[in-house]
Amino acid sequence: MRYLALAMNLDGTLATGGRADEAALAALSRLRRTGRRVILVTSRRLADLTSVFSSLEPFDCVVAENGALLYWPARRESTALCRPVPESFVRAMLQRGVTPLVRGQAVVYAPRTQARTFVEAVGELGLELQVIFAGERVLAVPPGINKGEGLREALLSLGMSVHEVVSLGAGANDHSLLDVSECAVAVANALPALKERAAFTTRGAAGAGVVELVEELVQHDLRTDGAWTPQDSLTLGYGPSGERVGIPAYGENLLVVGPRGEEGASYVQGFLERLLQRRYQPCVIDCIGDFEPRDDMVKLGDRLHVPRVSQVMAALTAPAVKPVVSLAALAPEAQPGFFRELLPALEGMRLRTGRPHWLIVNGAQRLWPAGARDALRDAPKLGETLLRVEDPGAVARPILEQMDVAVGVGPASARALQQFAGAIEETALHLPLSAGAEHAVLAWFIAEGRWPLRLRAPPRRAERLRRVPEQVEGDLGALGFTFRGRRGRTGPRAHNLRAFCRLAAQVDDDTWLFHLWNGDFSRWLRDALHDDALARKVAAIECRYELPAADSRREVCGAITHHYALAA
């Protein structure tokens, strides 16, 4: 299964007019029978839910009070995620005659008409509180608390990550809920701003939308709704015009073939870096012993010690742990036996939690050597797996035939792909004449039947840092950003990032918001500067339509400053 959990809002989604939709509740029961988890995320108090549901048993977890409280129905236990709103704020509201004033375990509620009073009191008292809207109510919420952060804590307790979750929302305070999910969905009656943020919108409204989404999850795992968007792909390289070329983060296998050495290792390390930037959990199986772990990875085993399967699985229990499992102490003929013991444990964990998200095998010919009886008879079904090999002919054909994309690296990348084609008995490939150009790779999308493409390999972090002076202080020429505004008139041009931050403070609000809401800033960073990590940070700001122009300027320029460690 691709998606293992559904997190949803209550009002306007699962319930309308204060009553739960019975058909939607029945659909959630069907969903849970497939082994998936259901998480309710609401701004309401736990005490308020008794008037909506006869029981909270349909949910594995309830995130209440806009993310401030977790409740586990099966155990009837609750956990507060923050301190409550200070008593001084409550007294100030009572003195101002705010009524009805309702207190939760952490959040304070009042009618929406009292929003100005809430804001004035926060300013006068010097408190760090958020004032947000939820339907006809206004809420005073402790800092840093929202539905998305509450969902993160719930997933952590369930041993899951955001990459296995579908979120469904309808209201203004559901933006953070949709942000914390691999696939964001809005019901038909959702606010327009939320629909723009979602990957897709259900045809049905409220409860009917819940039923529709559940049926798609159960029957097709959302594959028919095109839930994969370009932002979900993992970059393989950039084409001649600078366009990004990638593969989905789920459902495909990647072969990296070429001679051992710096170029092949660098490409695999770059792919790993992009996985970690997206907060996926990889597990590296190093059969040869020459894989260089990053500082934020945990190495299990070395040339003298063989790791135990139990050690590997214990390390993977925490989503933040990225293990490198070295089999260098095992003789090559003993490595397949170790992996046959490890693989069922990995598959079981993937069924329960979806992790590890990717398996990276360095020296795959050791695990599945060509001609070995076991490799031919017991070839496992791979998914989200990267194989790094020098000679594809040394790998069992049933394994090679599962590869969706093959990437040739190094000066002989064309020959490497020809060897792979011969190993799976494909016809001769039509290869670009300039396949061996510097920093170029050849990507063959086998499953799509496309000829190999010559791509420029994405720069790794070390290379990006070397390019900082050019992007920050230099002249990007035609790649600079031009502020044009709504009317399309040519305005000031930012020739580097420092100039962009300076001009951002000078252009009028209408011009700034036009580019911001159109996604122009993140598109420029991604397509012109090829900085996917910074583009994702800015894209998240571009989706926050509620931000005033001044605040969004400060956040976009702050993200650039922090990313490149610019001097103030």
Side-chain angles (χ1 to χ4, degrees), residues 174-215:
D174 289 335
H175 282 279
S176 64
L177 170 62
L178 267 59
D179 286 340
V180 182
S181 65
E182 187 78 350
C183 180
V185 185
V187 286
N189 56 298
L191 295 176
L194 206 69
K195 292 180 181 179
E196 291 180 11
R197 165 65 186 85
F200 65 93
T201 300
T202 62
R203 293 179 296 275
V210 175
V211 174
E212 177 187 330
L213 179 60
V214 168
E215 289 302 317

Side-chain angles (χ1 to χ4, degrees), residues 79-310:
T79 303
L81 301 180
C82 63
R83 293 182 177 179
V85 169
E87 186 65 31
S88 59
F89 178 82
V90 178
R91 288 197 301 268
M93 292 301 97
L94 293 174
Q95 290 170 1
R96 286 168 167 80
V98 173
T99 183
L101 188 70
V102 180
R103 299 181 62 180
Q105 293 192 36
V107 175
V108 176
Y109 305 78
R112 188 185 182 101
T113 54
Q114 300 294 334
R116 171 177 284 187
T117 308
F118 267 40
V119 172
E120 291 173 350
V122 169
E124 291 173 9
L125 297 173
L127 298 174
E128 188 180 3
L129 295 177
Q130 305 172 95
V131 177
I132 64 172
F133 297 100
E136 296 303 314
R137 296 187 298 178
V138 62
L139 283 62
V141 182
I145 295 298
N146 57 47
K147 289 185 175 182
E149 290 307 310
L151 177 58
R152 283 188 193 276
E153 292 295 329
L155 293 172
L156 186 63
S157 299
L158 291 168
M160 303 176 72
S161 79
V162 300
H163 296 294
E164 292 78 57
V165 181
V166 179
S167 290
L168 182 65
N173 62 333
D174 289 335
H175 282 279
S176 64
L177 170 62
L178 267 59
D179 286 340
V180 182
S181 65
E182 187 78 350
C183 180
V185 185
V187 286
N189 56 298
L191 295 176
L194 206 69
K195 292 180 181 179
E196 291 180 11
R197 165 65 186 85
F200 65 93
T201 300
T202 62
R203 293 179 296 275
V210 175
V211 174
E212 177 187 330
L213 179 60
V214 168
E215 289 302 317
E216 285 294 329
L217 274 168
V218 172
Q219 298 296 327
H220 309 292
D221 214 14
L222 289 191
R223 293 182 186 273
T224 59
D225 268 15
W228 288 110
T229 59
Q231 290 78 12
D232 293 319
S233 65
L234 297 168
T235 304
L236 297 180
Y238 296 93
S241 303
E243 72 277 13
R244 185 163 62 104
V245 178
I247 60 173
Y250 180 84
E252 298 209 356
N253 296 311
L254 176 64
L255 177 73
V256 178
V257 57
R260 289 177 64 182
E262 182 178 347
E263 287 184 86
S266 178
Y267 188 84
V268 173
Q269 288 280 1
F271 187 85
L272 174 64
E273 183 179 282
R274 294 188 289 279
L275 282 174
L276 297 180
Q277 286 172 350
R278 296 283 305 281
R279 298 189 179 182
Y280 287 104
Q281 183 186 46
C283 177
V284 178
I285 309 296
D286 183 14
C287 303
I288 300 174
D290 62 355
F291 186 91
E292 290 294 332
R294 292 163 46 103
D295 292 340
D296 55 355
M297 303 186 80
V298 175
K299 187 173 182 180
L300 303 176
D302 52 36
R303 295 189 179 277
L304 298 177
H305 303 92
V306 179
R308 297 190 303 274
V309 170
S310 59

Side-chain angles (χ1 to χ4, degrees), residues 354-415:
R355 299 181 290 102
H357 299 112
W358 272 78
L359 196 63
I360 298 176
V361 182
N362 181 41
Q365 69 276 4
R366 296 275 187 95
L367 300 185
W368 304 288
R373 291 182 179 179
D374 289 346
L376 294 172
R377 185 182 65 249
D378 302 325
K381 180 174 174 54
L382 301 178
E384 300 80 56
T385 300
L386 182 153
L387 304 183
R388 168 79 175 100
V389 298
E390 181 178 355
D391 176 13
V395 181
R397 182 173 170 179
I399 297 297
L400 294 179
E401 288 177 338
Q402 297 184 53
M403 298 298 107
D404 299 284
V405 182
V407 175
V409 297
S413 55
R415 185 172 61 188

